[in-house]
Amino acid sequence: MKKSEFFMDLCFIRERAADAPGQPFAQIIDDQLKSLFPKQAKWSLEQKQAEGLEYVVAEVTGTGAWEKEEDMLAYLEERAAHSFWDWLQGYRLEVEVKEHAECSHCGKNNVKAGGL
C-alpha cells in the first residue's frame, strides 16, 4: 500500500449568532476534524469575527492512503457532516505520494495535486 502525506487549508464561514448558546465555531470545526482524522492528522485553527460573520481557518497536515486529491475529497464527501460543507468556503489541498520511504528525498516518487 502506498502512503501519502497531505496538506490542507480550509476556510469556514458562518453568520455569527450572538444570542445562540453552544460551542464556539472553532470548537465545532475542531470536533469535525477529530471525527474525520482521528489518528492520521494534526491541525491548527484560527478564528476571527468581522461584520456579523465568524471565520475559522484550519491548517491540516497528516498521512493516509490517498493517491490523489480526488481520493481524499471522496473520503471527505462520505464522512463530513452537512454543516462542514455548508460552512466550507474555500480549500487548498496537496497530496504527496511516497512510493518508498527511503526514496522520498529524491522527489521522483512524489505526485502532487492541488485545488482551489
Side-chain angles (χ1 to χ4, degrees), residues 3-64:
K3 187 166 187 146
S4 63
E5 293 178 356
F6 67 88
F7 310 91
M8 186 169 39
D9 294 323
L10 304 167
C11 178
F12 298 95
I13 301 174
R14 74 172 183 179
E15 289 186 28
R16 184 172 44 190
D19 300 334
Q23 295 179 313
F25 192 30
Q27 184 62 52
I28 294 168
I29 299 302
D30 186 65
D31 291 345
Q32 289 197 19
L33 292 172
K34 284 177 187 173
S35 71
L36 291 168
F37 306 107
K39 296 180 183 177
Q40 70 265 38
K42 60 183 177 178
W43 53 86
S44 63
L45 303 176
E46 181 180 351
Q47 182 170 347
K48 296 180 182 183
Q49 297 181 6
E51 299 179 17
L53 299 173
E54 293 179 289
Y55 303 82
V56 173
V57 176
E59 294 180 7
V60 185
T61 60
T63 59

